[in-house]
Amino acid sequence: MGEYSRRTFLRAAGAGLAVSALDASGAAKAQASECVRHAVIGIGNQGSGHVRRFAAQPDCEVVAVCDVDPERRAKGASLAGHDNVAQYEDLRELLEDPSIDSVSVVTPDHWHTPAALLALQAGKHVYVEKPCCHN
């Protein structure tokens, strides 16, 4: 078996997921109850991009943002495309919300692991782009 690059792996995995989402007629199926309620933790340059990209997905709604800076929180909430975005200063309060299905951790590197672990312990699906370490 040859070695796969990360790009090749992700392309193959994405294609597999896309195929598995299709029914026999070839139409993607999603019910209203399958809408993912997503939150973004950390609203800097990358976090703002996460809000925009997740909000643009057809079966995803950004319902909360979290940042210690009130200006960044307000900016992130405004990027979600609707007015009902909860804003949190403390990620622990955000993680207590049972209606949130998933979170993006877009904090400084040294907060990735603590935020991701807390989110997993709270039963959330977690998306982290960078390594879960700081050394």
Side-chain angles (χ1 to χ4, degrees), residues 37-89:
R37 296 177 50 82
H38 188 74
V40 178
I41 302 172
I43 308 295
N45 290 331
Q46 291 293 338
S48 296
H50 278 232
V51 173
R52 285 191 298 272
R53 286 188 291 279
F54 278 97
Q57 299 303 311
D59 297 329
C60 183
E61 179 182 16
V62 176
V63 296
V65 294
C66 179
D67 200 288
V68 295
D69 183 337
E71 291 179 16
R72 285 186 175 187
R73 279 196 309 269
K75 175 186 173 188
S78 71
L79 295 172
H82 60 89
D83 295 333
N84 298 328
V85 179
Q87 297 182 37
Y88 295 91
E89 180 178 7

Side-chain angles (χ1 to χ4, degrees), residues 14-34:
L17 289 172
V19 168
S20 67
L22 299 176
D23 65 10
S25 68
K29 56 181 176 181
Q31 299 172 5
S33 63
E34 293 178 354

